[in-house]
Amino acid sequence: MQTLSRPSNPDSNLGSTLRPDIRALQAELVSWRRSLHQRPELGFQETLTAQFIGDRLQAWGIDHHAEIATTGLVAVIAGTGTSANRPVLAIRADMDGLPVQELNDVPYRSVHPGKMHACGHDGHVAIALGTAKYLSEHRDRFAGTVKIIFQPAEEGPGGAQPMIDAGVLANPDVDALVGLHIWNNLPLGTLGVRSGPMMAATEFFHCTLQGRGGHGAIPQQTVDAVVVGAQVVNALQTIVARNIDPLKSAVVTVGEFQAGTAVNVIADSAYLSGTVRYFDPDYGELLPRRIEQVIAGVCAAHGATYELDYQRLYPPVINDQVIADLVRSVALSVVETPVGVVPECQTMGGEDVSFFLQSVPGCYFFLGSANAAKGLDYPHHHPRFDFDETVLGVGVETFVRVVEKFCQVAE
Ligand SMILES: [Zn+2]
Ligand SMILES: [Zn+2]
């Protein structure tokens, strides 16, 4: 069970817990977020978004590289503080929208038909920009280097691995990485963090079952693909129930089942697709193996055949204990009374920040953004998704304090 270290109160004057220089950024953060919100772009098509980011980094005199993995950018901010080691911390922000038609009636509603920032990545870019601006104006407050990674295509097919392949974690080599997701599953003024598995591996499967169609009244001449498919769907439910340790977690969801064409025709084939989620990397071998065994076994029992395409999208997001402890301690100092930290926060949702966290130690965390009193609590990916923009300053303050702690200036 998740418990708050302090009772939450989204109506509290959260902004007043921020340092004055970051509180002063709030109006700009909101205006950037709203500009980005109006012009959402899908994965690897974020050209306007990249231009928006690049223009600001240029204006603030921040070294940066654009067109990485198509539309990604990296800003490099060197601290002038001294320390024995030269720590390099990366901050990751994703920048893509979703193929969703926005239903919000707000002045900053999406002007791109069928596209919407329905996950909050517009807020992530605004927070990362605010962090870049603040750090570039306060370079004496940290030592070493901060790299800010603006990553395309988190919603798919995934921009993290292409950015790693393009070398964003090298030269100088990144020691640790942090990232956040604005999170409407938590109230504004809370922050969800844990060490170890935070988000699940995300995998998909597509399966065509081939039977033999025929007349609805003459079943003995057929192999009924509807019957085979129904038994496959049922049998797949036993994998989580009977093959997974009850103290661990996994999901096998069949999201699509299409078969049949007419009332008096036995279906020739059926199509199933689904998604698989788990935290424990050991299940990466077990789950696809059991899924294929179940499908093959049911098909063999009925004389059907199958074709299975199993796709691994993202590995689980696994946080490093040391960096997670650092984020937690910072969070407790940023989000002051009457808000708190939600420990052991976890979701079966997936995130390709996992590829970064497989390469370097780090921590991905959730920044509570829901405000039910203002109607700002629709789920992520909903056509009415929106969040309390107070969270933007809290995000900047959190990142800046993580930088000041990880890249601490020697006394
Ligand atoms: Zn999303
Ligand atoms: Zn997202």
Side-chain angles (χ1 to χ4, degrees), residues 143-166:
T145 305
V146 175
K147 281 186 179 180
I148 302 190
I149 298 171
F150 295 91
Q151 180 216 300
E154 187 283 322
E155 299 286 1
Q161 189 62 54
M163 290 204 81
I164 295 167
D165 294 343

Side-chain angles (χ1 to χ4, degrees), residues 212-219 221-222 224 226 259-268:
R212 190 170 63 245
H215 198 292
I218 314 175
Q221 296 176 347
T222 73
D224 188 341
V226 167
T261 53
V263 69
N264 57 352
V265 175
I266 287 176
D268 188 57

Side-chain angles (χ1 to χ4, degrees), residues 94 119-121 124 154-155 181-183 351 364 380-381:
D94 46 7
C119 201
H121 301 183
H124 300 170
E154 187 283 322
E155 299 286 1
H181 208 301
I182 287 173
W183 206 235
E351 241 288 351
Y364 193 65
H380 293 260
H381 295 200

Side-chain angles (χ1 to χ4, degrees), residues 199-201 203 249-250 276-281 283-284 287 312 316 348:
M199 300 181 77
E203 304 182 346
S249 304
V276 174
R277 309 293 171 108
Y278 57 88
F279 292 122
D280 187 337
Y283 288 152
L287 283 161
R312 296 174 187 278
M348 297 308 275

Side-chain angles (χ1 to χ4, degrees), residues 379-391:
H380 293 260
H381 295 200
H382 190 283
R384 293 193 190 280
F385 173 81
D386 202 352
F387 56 84
D388 191 318
E389 290 168 323
T390 309
V391 78

Side-chain angles (χ1 to χ4, degrees), residues 50-70:
Q51 188 72 47
F52 186 94
I53 296 165
D55 286 351
R56 271 144 199 86
L57 296 173
Q58 186 74 31
W60 302 331
I62 296 175
D63 286 344
H64 62 282
H65 308 276
E67 294 178 24
I68 300 176
T70 314

Side-chain angles (χ1 to χ4, degrees), residues 129-150:
L129 281 173
T131 304
K133 187 178 189 203
Y134 180 89
L135 292 175
S136 71
E137 290 169 354
H138 300 83
R139 292 175 187 259
D140 57 317
R141 297 193 62 144
F142 66 100
T145 305
V146 175
K147 281 186 179 180
I148 302 190
I149 298 171
F150 295 91

